[in-house]
Amino acid sequence: MASVKIKDNIYWVGAIDFNIRNFHGYKTPDGTSYNAYLVIDEKITLIDSVKEAFSQDLIDNISEIIDPKKIDVIICNHVEPDHSGAIQEVVKLNPNVEIYTSANGKKGLMAYYDAADWNYHVVGTGDQLNTGKYTFNFVMTPLIHWPDNMVSYLEEEEILFSNDAFGQHYASNKRYASEVGVAKALEKAKDYYANIVLPYDVQVKKALKDLGPLKISLIAPSHGLMWDGETIPPMLDKYVDWSDNKCDEKKAMVIYDTMWGATETIAKKIVKDFNAKGIEAELIDLKYTHVSEAMDKLMEAKYICVGSSTLNRSIMPTVASFLAYMRGLGPKNRIGLAFGSYGWSGESVKIIEETLETCKFEMLDTIKVQYKDFSKLYEKSIL
Ligand code: FEO
């Protein structure tokens, strides 16, 4: 995709990755984009770059506007290779280019690349870069998404270059949330938050507080669509809700895998019990739903019920994968339920229960069925 003019002197020069379907374990059915931005001033500034494989797209897009050798400054908001991978190409073209990044950013760039001799300017919150008529203000946002993260605010145009924050894995020819509709953009942002940002709620809250005083006319993240006009307030509001681990008391997810159908029978009974109490419940069979899709679905659910047949004195591999993934992402403020079936040894329910307890979920009574003896299953409701 060609470069896109955002405002006079400011351009999107990134790359669209329509084909990526797995982002280190996170399923990305709609691809993604690596957004980089070019600001033309007395000092010409590139904000972030793209994944290394897309380096030529970046260079081509910059070349539509200026000779890439003329770039004076690179702001590296984040070292993860989806944003820093093509910086090497720009440095090759202009070895003296100034690189503005955080202290951890400098460490990360030096550890990833042959970058010991790069021309670094280490910045912290409150530091500024004046490029002529424009002023960039830097705010450190560690752990959104790595320890090196920062955001850059272009004061005169009220643009927040937010890197991973407010991003979405969404490939499109459209560049603005208003073009695809705020509902679709928020849906993709929720999926991204659930699978990338969720563990860092404390850091998100701090970032929202630090960014609160800024007047923002455009949020330009490093993935997906830019948040413009009326799409900005709902996006910020959602980050408040999500970092609060706000969830819906009337929603439940019943997530399981089953060998011969007994665990699924329990799952369906659990759904009926929720429905009888006016709670919406959804069945998620992990044979058919990827763990990252399951995470997206449970973002707003108060109840997280997980079930597995006992398999070889353990749990089904799909359920083990889901539990490991969810535990790492660490949803909070939830009520859990462990359930399952077994033939003789029957370890699965205990394994699930212990894992949900490590997530600090409040727990409902477990449900355990041998073979298909459902005689006690229907005696009482889960709630
Ligand atoms: Fe999009 Fe943490 O990199």
Side-chain angles (χ1 to χ4, degrees), residues 23 78 80 82-83 145-146 149 163-164 169 192 196 222-223:
F23 199 97
H78 183 22
E80 194 167 6
D82 48 337
H83 308 298
H145 156 232
W146 281 9
N149 270 83
N163 197 266
D164 276 341
H169 281 320
Y192 180 94
I196 304 265
S222 292
H223 294 292

Side-chain angles (χ1 to χ4, degrees), residues 102-221:
S102 66
N104 280 324
K106 178 180 173 181
K107 274 189 214 162
L109 289 171
M110 289 172 65
Y112 259 108
Y113 308 109
D114 182 14
D117 297 332
W118 290 3
N119 182 9
Y120 294 102
H121 294 256
V122 170
V123 293
T125 295
D127 288 341
Q128 292 185 325
L129 162 66
N130 187 278
T131 58
K133 61 178 177 287
Y134 292 134
T135 314
F136 289 94
N137 292 270
F138 301 111
V139 179
M140 300 302 108
T141 53
L143 290 172
I144 315 169
H145 156 232
W146 281 9
D148 57 275
N149 270 83
M150 64 181 203
V151 299
S152 305
Y153 176 67
L154 180 52
E155 196 173 290
E156 291 78 6
E157 299 292 347
E158 301 172 349
I159 300 176
L160 179 69
F161 296 99
S162 64
N163 197 266
D164 276 341
F166 310 113
Q168 329 95 52
H169 281 320
Y170 186 60
S172 169
N173 287 291
K174 307 247 184 338
R175 296 270 45 86
Y176 295 97
S178 61
E179 292 179 283
V180 302
V182 70
K184 178 71 181 175
L186 288 174
E187 176 194 311
K188 298 307 298 178
K190 174 167 78 75
D191 181 53
Y192 180 94
Y193 191 100
N195 285 284
I196 304 265
V197 189
L198 187 61
Y200 309 116
D201 51 351
V202 172
Q203 291 81 8
V204 171
K205 281 179 190 308
K206 179 165 187 327
L208 291 172
K209 191 170 168 225
D210 291 347
L211 300 174
L214 302 179
K215 187 161 189 283
I216 297 171
S217 298
L218 185 73
I219 300 175

Side-chain angles (χ1 to χ4, degrees), residues 20-47:
I20 189 168
R21 289 293 175 271
N22 187 313
F23 199 97
H24 48 53
Y26 167 12
K27 196 172 170 190
T28 50
D30 295 323
T32 193
S33 71
Y34 314 109
N35 299 337
Y37 302 92
L38 188 70
V39 178
I40 307 297
D41 200 357
E42 285 168 34
K43 278 188 173 181
I44 296 173
T45 301
L46 176 67
I47 300 157

Side-chain angles (χ1 to χ4, degrees), residues 311-331:
L311 174 67
N312 301 329
R313 303 184 69 184
S314 186
I315 52 180
M316 300 286 277
T318 49
V319 180
S321 168
F322 169 74
L323 287 174
Y325 191 70
M326 182 182 71
R327 187 168 56 181
L329 289 164

